[in-house]
Amino acid sequence: MVTDPISDLLVRLQNGFRRQHDTVTIPASKLKREVLRVLQAEGYILGIENATEDGHPVLKVQLRYVGEGQPMITGMQRVSKPGRRVYVGTKEIPRVLNGIGLAILSTSKGVMTDQASRKAGLGGEILCSVW
């Protein structure tokens, strides 16, 4: 049993990039699907596909590489953890690498990037940072 599904998602993506896999299989959940949707919209991954493996729903993620096998995602960090949740208001939303990277937030209007959250005037829980 996984106690932190978002950390599990980030580690599986990172391991897939390190081994230069084309796709990575991740156990499905609504929150993971939304985080992956944001990553796809921002161009960090190619696609997401719903599938079933051994009777359990999974998400098959197509990883994106640039150049000669260089992963699109060079770093990821889990910010809010089960033992220490991190909530911010609109004015405290961090900028990741001065806007090069992005922070993914869970707000009252759904999962969105730091930039979209600032534009909508919403704060929330910072799930992770990606660059």
Side-chain angles (χ1 to χ4, degrees):
M1 182 173 176
V2 178
T3 58
D4 189 4
I6 300 300
S7 289
D8 181 56
L9 165 72
L10 298 177
V11 167
R12 286 175 188 250
L13 289 175
Q14 208 166 32
N15 289 342
F17 278 122
R18 285 185 180 154
R19 299 296 300 161
Q20 295 189 348
H21 290 298
D22 292 329
T23 61
V24 175
T25 304
I26 299 167
S29 77
K30 290 179 184 177
L31 182 59
K32 290 179 192 176
R33 188 174 289 116
E34 287 300 308
V35 170
L36 289 171
R37 179 191 55 81
V38 169
L39 290 175
Q40 183 180 8
E42 294 296 317
Y44 286 98
I45 60 174
L46 289 176
I48 310 157
E49 182 182 321
N50 295 322
T52 304
E53 207 170 85
D54 296 330
H56 298 285
V58 294
L59 299 168
K60 293 198 179 214
V61 181
Q62 295 177 345
L63 303 178
R64 181 175 177 199
Y65 296 93
V66 291
E68 296 179 16
Q70 293 291 335
M72 187 66 185
I73 297 176
T74 57
M76 295 180 273
Q77 181 181 16
R78 178 77 159 114
V79 177
S80 185
K81 301 174 184 176
R84 182 175 182 265
R85 300 291 184 183
V86 179
Y87 296 97
V88 292
T90 308
K91 295 178 182 172
E92 296 93 36
I93 298 173
R95 297 182 67 81
V96 179
L97 297 178
N98 285 329
I100 294 173
L102 65 101
I104 299 176
L105 282 83
S106 175
T107 68
S108 58
K109 301 289 183 186
V111 177
M112 58 181 69
T113 64
D114 54 347
Q115 188 176 10
S117 182
R118 269 190 224 96
K119 192 173 184 178
L122 296 169
E125 181 182 0
I126 305 173
L127 298 176
C128 60
S129 299
V130 180
W131 61 90

